[in-house]
Amino acid sequence: MRQLATIAVEQWVQPFLAWIPSLTGFVVRYLFFKLLFRSLGGMCYIAPGVTMQRSYGIRAGRNLAVNRGSLIDGKGEVEIGDDVLIGPNVVITSAQHCFERPDLPMNVQPEKKARVRIGNDVWIGAHAVIVPGVSIGDRVVIAAGAVVTRDVDSHSVVGGVPARKIKDLP
Protein backbone atom coordinates (compact mmCIF):
# COMPACT_ATOMS: atom_id res chain seq x y z
CA MET A 1 0.00 0.00 0.00
CA ARG A 2 2.90 2.37 0.82
CA GLN A 3 4.29 1.81 -2.66
CA LEU A 4 1.02 2.80 -4.34
CA ALA A 5 0.68 5.86 -2.13
CA THR A 6 4.26 6.90 -2.89
CA ILE A 7 3.71 6.56 -6.65
CA ALA A 8 0.52 8.62 -6.46
CA VAL A 9 2.18 11.38 -4.42
CA GLU A 10 5.19 11.42 -6.78
CA GLN A 11 2.97 11.81 -9.82
CA TRP A 12 0.72 14.50 -8.37
CA VAL A 13 3.07 16.55 -6.19
CA GLN A 14 6.57 16.17 -7.64
CA PRO A 15 5.87 18.12 -10.87
CA PHE A 16 4.86 21.18 -8.81
CA LEU A 17 7.85 20.95 -6.46
CA ALA A 18 10.30 20.35 -9.30
CA TRP A 19 10.22 23.96 -10.45
CA ILE A 20 10.24 25.90 -7.17
CA PRO A 21 13.40 28.04 -7.34
CA SER A 22 15.99 29.15 -4.78
CA LEU A 23 16.35 28.16 -1.14
CA THR A 24 12.60 27.59 -0.80
CA GLY A 25 12.66 24.92 -3.52
CA PHE A 26 15.76 23.31 -2.04
CA VAL A 27 14.14 22.95 1.38
CA VAL A 28 10.73 21.83 0.07
CA ARG A 29 12.24 19.13 -2.20
CA TYR A 30 14.51 17.91 0.61
CA LEU A 31 11.57 17.52 3.00
CA PHE A 32 9.42 15.88 0.30
CA PHE A 33 12.01 13.23 -0.54
CA LYS A 34 12.94 12.74 3.12
CA LEU A 35 9.35 11.48 3.51
CA LEU A 36 9.29 9.35 0.36
CA PHE A 37 12.76 7.74 0.20
CA ARG A 38 13.24 4.42 1.96
CA SER A 39 15.93 6.31 3.88
CA LEU A 40 17.86 9.56 3.58
CA GLY A 41 20.88 9.86 5.87
CA GLY A 42 21.30 13.60 5.87
CA MET A 43 20.94 16.81 3.96
CA CYS A 44 20.67 16.54 0.19
CA TYR A 45 20.29 18.91 -2.74
CA ILE A 46 17.72 17.98 -5.37
CA ALA A 47 17.83 20.54 -8.19
CA PRO A 48 14.74 21.81 -9.98
CA GLY A 49 13.58 19.44 -12.74
CA VAL A 50 14.79 16.18 -11.15
CA THR A 51 12.46 13.18 -11.38
CA MET A 52 12.36 10.38 -8.81
CA GLN A 53 10.27 7.35 -9.68
CA ARG A 54 9.30 4.71 -7.15
CA SER A 55 11.33 6.56 -4.51
CA TYR A 56 10.19 3.98 -1.94
CA GLY A 57 13.15 1.92 -3.22
CA ILE A 58 15.82 4.65 -2.88
CA ARG A 59 18.25 4.82 0.02
CA ALA A 60 20.69 7.70 0.14
CA GLY A 61 23.40 8.81 2.54
CA ARG A 62 24.57 12.29 3.53
CA ASN A 63 25.40 15.12 1.13
CA LEU A 64 23.69 13.81 -1.99
CA ALA A 65 23.47 16.35 -4.83
CA VAL A 66 21.32 15.60 -7.90
CA ASN A 67 21.44 18.07 -10.78
CA ARG A 68 18.73 19.20 -13.23
CA GLY A 69 16.99 16.76 -15.54
CA SER A 70 18.22 13.60 -13.81
CA LEU A 71 15.99 10.56 -13.32
CA ILE A 72 16.39 7.95 -10.59
CA ASP A 73 14.06 4.93 -10.61
CA GLY A 74 14.03 2.90 -7.38
CA LYS A 75 11.78 0.06 -8.53
CA GLY A 76 14.52 -2.56 -8.04
CA GLU A 77 16.23 -0.55 -5.27
CA VAL A 78 18.94 2.09 -5.53
CA GLU A 79 21.47 2.56 -2.73
CA ILE A 80 23.51 5.77 -2.81
CA GLY A 81 26.37 6.39 -0.39
CA ASP A 82 27.62 9.60 1.22
CA ASP A 83 29.03 12.59 -0.68
CA VAL A 84 27.67 11.65 -4.12
CA LEU A 85 27.37 14.14 -6.97
CA ILE A 86 24.97 13.31 -9.81
CA GLY A 87 25.36 15.57 -12.84
CA PRO A 88 22.62 16.90 -15.09
CA ASN A 89 20.46 14.51 -17.13
CA VAL A 90 21.82 11.34 -15.53
CA VAL A 91 19.63 8.22 -15.64
CA ILE A 92 19.89 5.62 -12.87
CA THR A 93 17.44 2.78 -13.29
CA SER A 94 17.01 -0.42 -11.31
CA ALA A 95 14.43 -2.02 -13.61
CA GLN A 96 14.25 -2.62 -17.34
CA HIS A 97 12.22 -4.59 -19.84
CA CYS A 98 13.55 -7.90 -21.11
CA PHE A 99 13.35 -9.09 -24.71
CA GLU A 100 14.17 -12.80 -24.45
CA ARG A 101 10.65 -14.07 -25.23
CA PRO A 102 10.18 -14.07 -29.03
CA ASP A 103 6.55 -15.14 -28.56
CA LEU A 104 5.67 -11.83 -26.84
CA PRO A 105 5.54 -8.31 -28.26
CA MET A 106 8.06 -5.89 -26.72
CA ASN A 107 5.42 -3.98 -24.76
CA VAL A 108 4.41 -7.08 -22.75
CA GLN A 109 7.84 -8.60 -22.17
CA PRO A 110 8.65 -9.36 -18.51
CA GLU A 111 10.64 -6.88 -16.46
CA LYS A 112 13.99 -7.41 -14.74
CA LYS A 113 14.65 -5.65 -11.43
CA ALA A 114 18.14 -5.49 -9.92
CA ARG A 115 19.63 -3.30 -7.18
CA VAL A 116 21.99 -0.48 -8.13
CA ARG A 117 24.63 0.33 -5.51
CA ILE A 118 26.64 3.56 -5.62
CA GLY A 119 29.42 3.89 -3.05
CA ASN A 120 30.72 6.92 -1.15
CA ASP A 121 32.52 9.89 -2.75
CA VAL A 122 31.26 9.29 -6.31
CA TRP A 123 30.84 11.83 -9.12
CA ILE A 124 28.55 10.82 -11.98
CA GLY A 125 29.04 13.12 -14.97
CA ALA A 126 26.34 14.67 -17.14
CA HIS A 127 24.20 12.39 -19.33
CA ALA A 128 25.62 9.18 -17.85
CA VAL A 129 23.39 6.09 -17.68
CA ILE A 130 23.60 3.41 -14.98
CA VAL A 131 21.66 0.22 -15.69
CA PRO A 132 20.11 -2.31 -13.25
CA GLY A 133 22.40 -4.59 -11.26
CA VAL A 134 25.49 -2.35 -11.34
CA SER A 135 27.63 -1.76 -8.27
CA ILE A 136 29.93 1.27 -8.19
CA GLY A 137 32.70 1.36 -5.61
CA ASP A 138 33.91 4.24 -3.44
CA ARG A 139 35.79 7.28 -4.82
CA VAL A 140 34.76 6.81 -8.44
CA VAL A 141 34.32 9.23 -11.33
CA ILE A 142 31.87 8.26 -14.09
CA ALA A 143 32.68 10.36 -17.17
CA ALA A 144 29.99 12.40 -18.89
CA GLY A 145 27.98 10.37 -21.38
CA ALA A 146 29.18 6.99 -20.05
CA VAL A 147 26.86 3.99 -20.06
CA VAL A 148 27.70 1.83 -17.03
CA THR A 149 26.74 -1.78 -17.70
CA ARG A 150 29.20 -3.54 -15.36
CA ASP A 151 30.47 -3.11 -11.82
CA VAL A 152 33.07 -0.37 -11.25
CA ASP A 153 35.99 -0.87 -8.86
CA SER A 154 36.73 1.68 -6.15
CA HIS A 155 39.25 4.46 -6.93
CA SER A 156 38.53 4.42 -10.67
CA VAL A 157 37.63 6.74 -13.51
CA VAL A 158 35.41 5.10 -16.15
CA GLY A 159 33.98 6.39 -19.40
CA GLY A 160 32.64 5.41 -22.80
CA VAL A 161 29.86 3.24 -24.18
CA PRO A 162 29.93 0.76 -22.59
CA ALA A 163 31.97 2.29 -19.75
CA ARG A 164 35.51 1.01 -19.32
CA LYS A 165 38.24 1.92 -16.84
CA ILE A 166 40.29 4.92 -17.95
CA LYS A 167 42.59 5.28 -14.95
CA ASP A 168 42.99 4.78 -11.22
CA LEU A 169 42.31 7.47 -8.62
CA PRO A 170 44.51 7.90 -5.53
Side-chain angles (χ1 to χ4, degrees), residues 14-73:
Q14 188 172 201
F16 297 105
L17 301 182
W19 300 107
I20 299 173
S22 72
L23 182 59
T24 302
F26 164 74
V27 171
V28 168
R29 284 186 294 278
Y30 165 72
L31 294 172
F32 179 69
F33 288 113
K34 178 91 172 149
L35 290 172
L36 294 186
F37 279 14
R38 176 169 282 175
S39 68
L40 181 55
M43 212 50 178
C44 72
Y45 171 74
I46 308 290
V50 169
T51 301
M52 303 286 181
Q53 293 179 326
R54 294 172 275 262
S55 55
Y56 56 78
I58 300 172
R59 296 177 195 185
R62 299 180 324 270
N63 303 321
L64 169 65
V66 185
N67 213 324
R68 293 178 180 272
S70 292
L71 171 106
I72 302 175
D73 186 345

Side-chain angles (χ1 to χ4, degrees), residues 1-168:
M1 189 62 170
R2 173 170 161 37
Q3 291 178 352
L4 286 175
T6 299
I7 291 169
V9 169
E10 285 172 346
Q11 290 178 357
W12 280 96
V13 178
Q14 188 172 201
F16 297 105
L17 301 182
W19 300 107
I20 299 173
S22 72
L23 182 59
T24 302
F26 164 74
V27 171
V28 168
R29 284 186 294 278
Y30 165 72
L31 294 172
F32 179 69
F33 288 113
K34 178 91 172 149
L35 290 172
L36 294 186
F37 279 14
R38 176 169 282 175
S39 68
L40 181 55
M43 212 50 178
C44 72
Y45 171 74
I46 308 290
V50 169
T51 301
M52 303 286 181
Q53 293 179 326
R54 294 172 275 262
S55 55
Y56 56 78
I58 300 172
R59 296 177 195 185
R62 299 180 324 270
N63 303 321
L64 169 65
V66 185
N67 213 324
R68 293 178 180 272
S70 292
L71 171 106
I72 302 175
D73 186 345
K75 189 172 192 177
E77 294 190 16
V78 174
E79 296 177 5
I80 302 170
D82 296 334
D83 305 309
V84 173
L85 298 172
I86 298 174
N89 302 303
V90 168
V91 174
I92 301 170
T93 183
S94 57
Q96 67 185 8
H97 290 280
C98 299
F99 50 87
E100 286 82 21
R101 300 258 326 258
D103 58 316
L104 294 175
M106 288 295 178
N107 64 342
V108 293
Q109 291 280 333
E111 194 173 47
K112 171 190 167 194
K113 295 187 279 187
R115 175 180 296 135
V116 171
R117 185 195 163 279
I118 299 169
N120 299 315
D121 193 22
V122 173
W123 174 21
I124 303 171
H127 297 276
V129 175
I130 299 171
V131 302
V134 168
S135 182
I136 297 170
D138 296 332
R139 189 154 173 76
V140 168
V141 174
I142 308 292
V147 177
V148 183
T149 60
R150 295 188 306 241
D151 291 353
V152 177
D153 294 333
S154 293
H155 300 272
S156 300
V157 176
V158 300
V161 179
R164 301 208 188 289
K165 188 173 187 177
I166 296 171
K167 68 178 191 175
D168 291 319

